[in-house]
Amino acid sequence: AQTLAPVPVSRQRRDTTIHRKFADAQGSKLRTTVMLKNLPNNYTRDMLLDLIDSEGFVGKYDFFYLPIDFRTHAALGYAFINLVSPEDAHVFFCCLDGFSRWSLPSYKVCQVAWSSPHQGFESHIARYRNSPLMHGAVPDLYRPVLLCDGLRISFPPPTKRVKAPRQGTERMLV
């Protein structure tokens, strides 16, 4: 009979912590949207999407948003991603919580948490379709992305006039 090597204690603790974070969340069986925290600020949307795809999630998410500072053009260090199923969300949670193999030098360690208050594809469309982020003056790289089977699709048109983004009383990008 083959004997299995014991799992290192540090790995056991990490796996238990991830399982607890996932299981403790009320309604986790229905949740699909996660927030990635502690991301390198010099990561771009394309870099993060490439990372997510390289970890085996091509076609398993339908919404992605990496907030970017309009003034510095740097990422704010967090992102939202909606997985297509609660099962995919669980695998994503386990795969990326604790991730630190960035393609750029960084000591940051990714943390994954449930997104709140927005959960699910439709909730994000409702949240962003009339947002100042969708104003014509805002470059595409600053906007959320919708996908279907791994391919980008258009955001539904706004249902009302979209205002230009502001920082306090100052208009941004216009």
Side-chain angles (χ1 to χ4, degrees):
Q2 184 181 14
T3 58
L4 298 174
V7 176
V9 173
S10 61
R11 168 96 189 268
Q12 288 175 352
R13 264 192 233 113
R14 181 179 177 277
D15 291 348
T16 302
T17 302
I18 291 170
H19 179 71
R20 191 176 314 118
K21 280 173 71 176
F22 187 81
D24 287 347
Q26 183 181 13
S28 66
K29 291 179 183 174
L30 304 176
R31 292 183 185 204
T32 55
T33 306
V34 297
M35 179 181 188
L36 301 176
K37 300 191 263 184
N38 210 28
L39 301 173
N41 298 74
N42 53 351
Y43 251 54
T44 65
R45 180 175 74 188
D46 288 342
M47 291 169 75
L48 198 50
L49 289 171
D50 288 345
L51 169 71
I52 291 166
D53 289 350
S54 73
E55 291 295 316
F57 293 96
V58 175
K60 295 184 179 183
Y61 58 98
D62 53 18
F63 173 86
F64 177 86
Y65 177 47
L66 175 68
I68 297 177
D69 185 292
F70 288 140
R71 289 196 175 140
T72 66
H73 311 289
L76 297 180
Y78 63 95
F80 297 95
I81 183 165
N82 186 67
L83 288 299
V84 296
S85 74
E87 295 77 22
D88 289 328
H90 181 250
V91 173
F92 187 89
F93 219 103
C94 294
C95 183
L96 276 112
D97 193 70
F99 183 90
S100 62
R101 298 182 323 273
W102 309 110
S103 62
L104 298 173
S106 178
Y107 292 107
K108 290 192 171 188
V109 177
C110 182
Q111 297 173 347
V112 182
W114 291 117
S115 171
S116 180
H118 302 287
Q119 271 294 319
F121 184 75
E122 294 298 327
S123 177
H124 290 290
I125 289 175
R127 162 68 181 92
Y128 290 104
R129 77 185 311 168
N130 297 313
S131 164
L133 286 171
M134 305 312 270
H135 188 272
V138 176
D140 180 67
L141 287 173
Y142 291 75
R143 297 179 180 191
V145 174
L146 297 182
L147 302 107
C148 181
D149 297 322
L151 300 174
R152 186 158 178 196
I153 60 174
S154 298
F155 228 89
T159 58
K160 60 184 182 181
R161 184 177 166 271
V162 175
K163 296 179 182 179
R166 295 180 174 272
Q167 176 87 27
T169 58
E170 181 184 344
R171 275 198 186 168
M172 303 300 292
L173 302 172
V174 259

